[in-house]
Amino acid sequence: MPRPRTDSATGVRCRRSNGAELSTLLTKEGGKPRIENLDEVEWCAACFQYYAEIARNSHGSSIPPTAEHQINFTIKEPLGVVAAIVPFNYPLLLLVWKIAPALAAGNTVVIKPSELTPLATLRLVARAMAHFPPGVVNVVTGGPDVGAALVDDRDVACIAFTGSTAVGSRIAVRAAEQLKRVNLELGGIDPLIVFDDADLDVAVPGAAWARFLNNGQVCTSAKRILVTEKIARDFTDRLVAHTRTLRVGDGMDPDTDLGPLISERARIRVEAQVARALEQGATLLEGGRRLDVGRGWFYAPTILTDVQPAHMVVCEEVFGPVASIQVVKDADEAIARAAQCEYALGANIYTQNLTWALKAMQDIKAGTFWINDPLTDNDAAPFGGMRKSGMGRELGEEGLDAFRETKHVHLDFIPERKPFWFPYRRRRGEIPA
Ligand code: NAD
């Protein structure tokens, strides 16, 4: 995620005009702390600005021709109707990553928010999209059946989807029947390696933030923490101590670090995943229980150690506040384990060692590789996953091209009969040129 925008003169965080209202709605419908939702609204505005800027300068290119009196160029054309299907965890941000480039490219959009978090989306569209001509920005609310209807609709040219890998792969199959364009941003089980030389004053709170941000309901959460045995004890003790300082509660309370999980179903699933990890031999160091701190599906930030690569807790995505620690012998084992995963969304490391950093960068498949600063996105840099984490990219110029076709235009400005046309007898000199 990008950083909050700061005024360079005053150092004061900038807020947009509807930020207060939208962030409150986001917290009330999804539970995420309001301070994070204020950031989310800011990131949305920054993303709209980014695409407003680059779309003006990006409309194709001129290509050197291969013969005289010819001109070649490309123009970028919109696809048509884009369906934007969005999950619950960043309802506005992941929407804007789709509709800002889609609209900048000249498409119309049909938005399908998560059935769990539709309200801020409806308000954003009512507030910010009213100046578009009727029919350019559309919203339909509902659950999986509504999303599936959009995927199947013959008037929809492109599906921009963020959500689980299971649903994404179903969408890919359906869309393939009509050879529709798909952009799929799916699940992740990202590694975070803490190497021997890491500054634990930074790596410990960094790892806690990378795993517990938005209650662990982030696609790029550090769902597999790998730490070398030399520093494992120190790291885990400090992570436990730091985690105990985190406040779980109502997202509207400015002191809250972690809100509730999105639903009762989500909490039951996380509980089952932790129970299975313990059955498989993991050790519970912290949390592992429900919390009764108000209205909502609260679950204590949890730390597991003695996790092994085959444990389900690191083989399937845990969308909740569960830090799973694997202790490894050395840097090579850390990198090898981090690289072994069916998912490849992001990867994080903490080190100052250039060799380890670059070896990890080379060996680990990931759409984004973060060194010493987990989970920080940049509107101008592509975001997306490899392997089961998706196909296609959002953000950056690639995120704009996801919503455009390229048309090559070939122009000959002196029309003439070409010597290589029929009849071929002329090419052989059997008839006059
Ligand atoms: P989900 O897959 O359950 O739902 C996502 C959206 O798809 C919702 O709007 C839902 O109504 C819709 N949907 C469900 N079934 C559908 C179908 N058959 N056809 C069309 N639409 C359908 O995901 P979720 O629980 O809302 O979000 C959590 C998941 O999203 C996690 O796996 C997380 O990793 C992933 N995610 C990925 C990214 C990324 O950028 N890679 C970002 C955020 C979340």
Side-chain angles (χ1 to χ4, degrees):
M1 269 124 256
R3 298 192 175 287
R5 197 170 62 111
T6 314
D7 185 298
S8 54
T10 60
V12 171
R13 269 192 179 188
C14 303
R15 296 295 185 206
R16 311 287 178 152
S17 52
N18 292 303
E21 184 192 17
L22 288 170
S23 57
T24 300
L25 260 181
L26 283 169
T27 296
K28 293 204 162 167
E29 64 180 343
K32 179 149 43 82
R34 187 163 175 273
I35 191 165
E36 293 178 18
N37 287 326
L38 280 162
D39 290 343
E40 181 169 345
V41 174
E42 165 52 36
W43 300 334
C44 291
C47 183
F48 273 122
Q49 280 179 321
Y50 170 74
Y51 279 110
E53 283 166 21
I54 71 160
R56 280 178 61 78
N57 293 315
S58 164
H59 191 61
S61 60
S62 165
I63 296 153
T66 56
E68 283 180 53
H69 51 77
Q70 295 186 350
I71 293 177
N72 294 78
F73 60 94
T74 60
I75 53 172
K76 299 285 185 174
E77 295 186 344
L79 302 174
V81 181
V82 171
I85 303 178
V86 184
F88 73 83
N89 61 339
Y90 287 90
L92 295 189
L93 185 69
L94 299 173
L95 167 66
V96 170
W97 284 10
K98 295 167 182 52
I99 65 170
L103 292 170
N107 299 280
T108 58
V109 297
V110 182
I111 298 162
K112 211 296 278 174
S114 166
E115 58 276 30
L116 301 171
T117 53
L119 301 180
T121 301
L122 292 169
R123 190 64 58 89
L124 176 82
V125 170
R127 285 265 189 272
M129 307 291 161
H131 58 285
F132 280 105
V136 173
V137 180
N138 310 277
V139 189
V140 285
T141 55
D145 50 333
V146 174
L150 281 174
V151 174
D152 290 342
D153 193 309
R154 293 198 170 270
D155 288 333
V156 171
C158 169
I159 314 294
F161 171 81
T162 300
S164 58
T165 296
V167 173
S169 90
R170 244 173 279 148
I171 288 176
V173 169
R174 297 294 284 255
E177 285 171 14
Q178 295 180 43
L179 290 178
K180 250 177 217 188
R181 194 77 90 85
V182 286
N183 204 59
L184 303 173
E185 302 289 345
L186 310 178
I189 313 183
D190 291 3
L192 182 151
I193 304 176
V194 185
F195 287 101
D196 283 357
D197 68 324
D199 177 353
L200 295 189
D201 286 344
V202 177
V204 167
W209 191 79
R211 185 56 187 112
F212 298 139
L213 173 70
N214 192 8
N215 221 349
Q217 300 169 118
V218 182
C219 52
T220 47
S221 293
K223 294 174 187 125
R224 292 180 291 146
I225 298 175
L226 298 125
V227 55
T228 48
E229 58 190 18
K230 194 166 151 200
I231 56 162
R233 185 66 192 267
D234 198 11
F235 174 83
T236 41
D237 286 352
R238 288 167 73 165
L239 186 66
V240 169
H242 181 71
T243 300
R244 286 183 181 151
T245 68
L246 302 179
R247 296 193 180 184
V248 182
D250 181 354
M252 291 303 290
D253 181 339
D255 290 337
T256 290
D257 298 308
L258 280 74
L261 287 164
I262 187 68
S263 65
E264 182 178 22
R265 209 166 133 222
R267 183 165 71 175
I268 290 170
R269 183 171 158 81
V270 170
E271 283 176 326
Q273 288 172 314
V274 170
R276 180 107 173 91
L278 299 180
E279 277 166 28
Q280 289 191 306
T283 305
L284 181 68
L285 294 180
E286 177 60 18
R289 62 185 193 285
R290 296 179 175 203
L291 292 178
D292 188 10
V293 290
R295 229 180 113 227
W297 316 108
F298 293 100
Y299 191 77
T302 296
I303 300 176
L304 300 171
T305 191
D306 299 325
V307 173
Q308 297 302 321
H311 289 176
M312 285 311 285
V313 78
V314 287
C315 294
E316 62 179 25
E317 189 178 35
V318 178
F319 224 51
V322 181
S324 295
I325 300 174
Q326 299 180 49
V327 179
V328 291
K329 194 161 59 35
D330 55 20
D332 286 337
E333 188 178 23
I335 295 169
R337 278 202 197 179
Q340 272 169 26
C341 188
E342 290 186 303
Y343 294 79
L345 187 55
N348 304 274
I349 62 168
Y350 269 106
T351 186
Q352 305 272 23
N353 181 311
L354 197 59
T355 307
W356 292 341
L358 294 185
K359 185 170 188 325
M361 185 272 292
Q362 266 191 351
D363 289 2
I364 300 170
K365 282 236 174 263
T368 311
F369 190 79
W370 286 284
I371 305 171
N372 296 327
D373 187 17
L375 270 59
T376 294
D377 300 324
N378 178 335
D379 287 330
F383 178 92
M386 301 179 185
R387 294 182 173 157
K388 287 190 172 176
S389 291
M391 55 171 81
R393 291 291 177 271
E394 296 190 314
L395 298 183
E397 288 210 38
E398 289 177 56
L400 185 59
D401 271 336
F403 299 108
R404 307 194 291 191
E405 292 282 16
T406 305
K407 180 178 279 172
H408 169 214
V409 181
H410 172 88
L411 163 72
D412 193 327
F413 57 88
I414 304 182
E416 61 182 5
R417 215 169 84 172
K418 303 295 180 194
F420 48 84
W421 288 354
F422 299 137
Y424 292 142
R425 282 172 293 144
R426 191 187 313 120
R427 283 170 75 173
R428 291 198 301 272
E430 292 170 13
I431 56 173

